[in-house]
Amino acid sequence: MSTSQLTGRAAGPRVPSPPSGPAARSARGRRSLRARRARDFYLFAGPWMLGFLALTVYPLGYALWLSFTNSDGLSDNSRFVGLDNYREVFTNPETISSLARTGLFTLITVPLTILAGLIMAVLVNQPIKARGLFRTLLYLPAVVPPVGAALTFKLIFDRDSGAANGALDSLGVNGVTWLVDPYARYVLIMLTMWGAGNVMIISLAGLQDIPKEVHEAARVDGASPWQSFTRITLPLLSPVLFFQVITGVIAALQSFAPLLIALDPTPAGVGNVPESNYFFMINVFAEYFANGRYGYASAMLWVLFVIIMAVTLLLFKLSKGAVFYSVEPEQAKNKPRTIGGK
């Protein structure tokens, strides 16, 4: 009789005992460390992840759903209309006109703002007295919130009591109605360039990152200041300028400040916005809050999102060969050579 029969236990495969020893304890310690790190990660990142899901992912998904409906934002009688809202976006003359004005505004203001910021950065980078004071004064307007700056410009260019017409009156020139066409567009361009101090700070940081030895070597070789600027400074500064182009285009395409310098910045006063400043985002605002067309306005926003993505990708495509990086992107690096390797 076998031992299993004597003990009354069925015979079966022998289960190995868990490993023990320093190696096993080290493995368990590593697993415990990974578990603690994962717990700490979710503990600290959890609030942000919840906020991201609740305040970003859900609104985006809900707006995408609204873009396929005729919702007015108030009643529950909305119905699914498919791609009708998107078709209207590309066939509505008013929407297309507002998008064209936004594109023209972007083409004008982005280069002007970058150029103004670069010129100011070059000037305050010179070894002059009170350089810090000049930097502060030039950057100070950029600290003013956009709403405050827009309302300030509204007061400055007011037809009856504005400082701009006051200065003209002192020179014997008749006052101008600045906040209507055709002058409203120029006020908006000045308002946009008012914040060029942000561009100046970024350009200044890029200028100070260029080694002085490079300019000194060019000067020894007989290069003029203009040649040194165009052939050394600009190429080395091109990544900074490209960053400013990308961020400037994205911000300009979403420009909403014109509404704040209108006569009545409320949903009922959207019609008071000058035609030259009736941009795409103002059109979206009117469709949402003045006309109650939540579905159509959501479709407009998603179209704008796709346009911004397409323009950004196009700019990255065009930047090849024009932007010079001191360190190539990781994916563009060649495989490192080894001794004896090919």
Side-chain angles (χ1 to χ4, degrees):
M1 182 177 293
S2 63
T3 307
S4 60
Q5 292 174 340
L6 290 174
T7 58
R9 290 180 298 178
R14 183 177 180 183
V15 179
S17 59
S20 58
R25 288 194 296 270
S26 177
R28 288 194 295 269
R30 286 194 297 270
R31 288 195 296 269
S32 177
L33 178 62
R34 285 196 296 268
R36 289 197 301 270
R37 287 179 175 177
R39 181 197 62 193
D40 294 340
F41 168 78
Y42 287 109
L43 180 64
F44 285 100
W48 179 89
M49 295 172 66
L50 291 176
F52 177 73
L53 293 174
L55 302 177
T56 302
V57 176
Y58 174 74
L60 285 175
Y62 185 63
L64 181 62
W65 162 250
L66 284 180
S67 67
F68 295 105
T69 68
N70 64 345
S71 173
D72 59 1
L74 298 175
S75 64
D76 297 331
N77 298 325
S78 61
R79 58 183 178 84
F80 184 80
V81 295
L83 298 176
D84 290 350
N85 290 327
Y86 291 93
R87 294 191 189 97
E88 185 178 353
V89 170
F90 293 105
T91 57
N92 190 334
E94 184 178 9
T95 302
I96 295 175
S97 299
S98 64
L99 184 60
R101 294 188 199 100
T102 306
L104 180 62
F105 170 77
T106 302
L107 290 175
I108 294 174
T109 57
V110 172
L112 287 178
T113 305
I114 293 177
L115 179 60
L118 179 60
I119 292 175
M120 291 190 296
V122 172
L123 292 177
V124 298
N125 195 41
Q126 304 302 316
I128 57 177
K129 293 182 179 180
R131 182 170 58 178
L133 176 61
F134 285 114
R135 290 177 181 177
T136 302
L137 293 176
L138 291 175
Y139 179 69
L140 197 59
V143 182
V144 180
V147 175
L151 295 178
T152 301
F153 267 67
K154 180 181 176 181
L155 295 175
I156 293 174
F157 292 97
D158 185 78
R159 174 65 180 85
D160 300 321
S161 59
N165 280 343
L168 292 178
D169 292 338
S170 64
L171 298 175
V173 180
N174 293 329
V176 176
T177 308
W178 294 100
L179 299 180
V180 299
D181 288 329
Y183 301 103
R185 68 187 68 187
Y186 305 118
V187 176
L188 177 60
I189 292 175
M190 287 187 286
L191 171 61
T192 304
M193 297 187 64
W194 175 257
N198 285 326
V199 179
M200 180 200 71
I201 289 296
I202 298 175
S203 298
L204 181 61
L207 289 173
Q208 294 178 346
D209 193 49
I210 299 176
K212 295 181 179 179
E213 294 80 4
V214 179
H215 291 287
E216 293 174 357
R219 186 167 54 252
V220 170
D221 290 340
S224 64
W226 177 251
Q227 290 175 328
S228 178
F229 179 76
T230 56
R231 300 184 182 183
I232 297 176
T233 303
L234 284 182
L236 293 178
L237 199 62
S238 58
V240 175
L241 298 177
F242 179 63
F243 167 78
Q244 293 173 345
V245 169
I246 293 293
T247 55
V249 167
I250 294 175
L253 290 176
Q254 301 177 78
S255 179
F256 191 64
L259 185 62
L260 300 175
I261 59 175
L263 298 178
D264 183 15
T266 62
V270 173
N272 293 325
V273 178
E275 183 180 357
S276 61
N277 291 354
Y278 197 85
F279 290 169
F280 192 81
M281 285 302 298
I282 298 179
N283 195 1
V284 172
F285 181 87
E287 294 294 344
Y288 260 119
F289 301 106
N291 301 333
R293 303 185 62 191
Y294 278 57
Y296 179 64
S298 298
M300 292 175 65
L301 287 177
W302 276 102
V303 169
L304 180 63
F305 170 76
V306 173
I307 290 175
I308 291 176
M309 290 291 295
V311 171
T312 303
L313 293 176
L314 178 62
L315 289 175
F316 272 99
K317 187 74 174 179
L318 296 177
S319 68
K320 295 181 178 179
V323 180
F324 304 94
Y325 296 97
S326 57
V327 178
E328 291 294 330
E330 191 67 25
Q331 61 271 20
K333 289 183 178 179
N334 295 325
K335 182 179 179 181
R337 296 182 179 181
T338 58
I339 299 177
K342 295 183 180 180

